[in-house]
Amino acid sequence: LGPAYHFYASFAGVAGGVFLTSLTETAIVYGAETCNAQMAKNAKSPGTFQNVHPSWKPFGPGFGIHVFRNIIATAGLRMFCTPCTYVIETATGKSNALTQVGGDFAGNVCAACLSAPVHQLYGFTVTTPELATMSGTEKKERLVQFLRDQYLETKDGKARLSSIVPRDLFMRSMYVAVAYTMYSTLERGLVKMWKQQ
């Protein structure tokens, strides 16, 4: 979706480009991701979904959460990398391809960590059919409870971050940050070559 981002950013600015690209990504992949998640849930708990979400349908439960997740991830690539690169260049006193890649990676790690709970929330939303019958208040309470159950544990009467938080953040970072950093490096090289033509 790199070309789409550059097209959107040309008339909507960076923030508008991030939003429109994220919305486009959701329109393309939401149906397939939701279908896949529900099929996996049925494989684990047969009969949870009598009718699995059609892979061609680009909207449904968790659509807004999916868009929000994509906004965070895209912002990592398009907005967080520049300040991270600046910090690395200031700390090292150098500005080169290595500091650029380091800044890209740091920005994408930040976005991956911020988007991890949102991604978990999306997965929970599309694989929990009873949410559809709840009121807005009940649904909100259930989603908040899911996040508490997922990321907090109580020990000696005190709530603290669960021991799985670092694992989840590391796994998401290694997938999202590595993929987005490779993409940004490739895109930067292609744009540079294009401008030289």
Side-chain angles (χ1 to χ4, degrees), residues 171-192:
M171 287 177 17
R172 183 137 178 97
S173 292
M174 288 305 98
Y175 168 67
V176 173
V178 169
Y180 278 42
T181 300
M182 288 181 355
Y183 175 79
S184 64
T185 302
L186 177 63
E187 181 187 61
R188 190 176 297 106
L190 291 173
V191 168
K192 186 177 178 181

Side-chain angles (χ1 to χ4, degrees), residues 105-187:
F105 186 71
N108 287 314
V109 165
C110 291
C113 291
L114 289 171
S115 67
V118 181
H119 181 66
Q120 291 286 340
L121 201 59
Y122 157 73
F124 177 74
T125 301
V126 300
T127 58
T128 309
E130 58 268 21
L131 289 175
T133 62
M134 294 180 179
S135 70
T137 303
E138 292 172 322
K139 191 181 297 187
K140 177 185 157 200
E141 288 172 1
R142 183 63 187 101
L143 294 176
V144 169
Q145 187 60 50
F146 166 76
L147 288 175
R148 282 192 183 126
D149 293 344
Q150 190 73 14
Y151 291 110
L152 298 177
E153 61 188 14
T154 304
K155 191 170 185 180
D156 300 325
K158 294 181 181 177
R160 64 178 190 166
L161 284 178
S162 167
S163 58
I164 67 165
V165 171
R167 179 205 68 186
D168 282 1
L169 297 182
F170 176 78
M171 287 177 17
R172 183 137 178 97
S173 292
M174 288 305 98
Y175 168 67
V176 173
V178 169
Y180 278 42
T181 300
M182 288 181 355
Y183 175 79
S184 64
T185 302
L186 177 63
E187 181 187 61

Side-chain angles (χ1 to χ4, degrees), residues 17-175:
V18 166
F19 173 75
L20 292 171
T21 302
S22 301
L23 190 61
T24 301
E25 181 180 356
T26 294
I28 294 168
V29 302
Y30 170 85
E33 278 190 42
T34 302
C35 176
N36 187 51
Q38 291 181 357
M39 286 172 36
K41 179 74 173 188
N42 272 349
K44 186 176 180 184
S45 304
T48 302
F49 291 94
Q50 298 301 320
N51 298 305
V52 172
H53 187 86
S55 60
W56 53 264
K57 187 177 175 185
F59 56 88
F63 177 86
I65 297 169
H66 196 280
V67 173
F68 185 52
R69 178 201 71 184
N70 290 342
I71 288 171
I72 296 169
T74 305
L77 178 65
R78 303 298 179 184
M79 300 170 91
F80 300 173
C81 293
T82 301
C84 289
T85 301
Y86 174 77
V87 168
I88 291 172
E89 288 174 350
T90 302
T92 62
K94 297 179 181 178
S95 177
N96 54 39
L98 196 56
T99 58
Q100 180 71 63
V101 170
D104 288 353
F105 186 71
N108 287 314
V109 165
C110 291
C113 291
L114 289 171
S115 67
V118 181
H119 181 66
Q120 291 286 340
L121 201 59
Y122 157 73
F124 177 74
T125 301
V126 300
T127 58
T128 309
E130 58 268 21
L131 289 175
T133 62
M134 294 180 179
S135 70
T137 303
E138 292 172 322
K139 191 181 297 187
K140 177 185 157 200
E141 288 172 1
R142 183 63 187 101
L143 294 176
V144 169
Q145 187 60 50
F146 166 76
L147 288 175
R148 282 192 183 126
D149 293 344
Q150 190 73 14
Y151 291 110
L152 298 177
E153 61 188 14
T154 304
K155 191 170 185 180
D156 300 325
K158 294 181 181 177
R160 64 178 190 166
L161 284 178
S162 167
S163 58
I164 67 165
V165 171
R167 179 205 68 186
D168 282 1
L169 297 182
F170 176 78
M171 287 177 17
R172 183 137 178 97
S173 292
M174 288 305 98
Y175 168 67

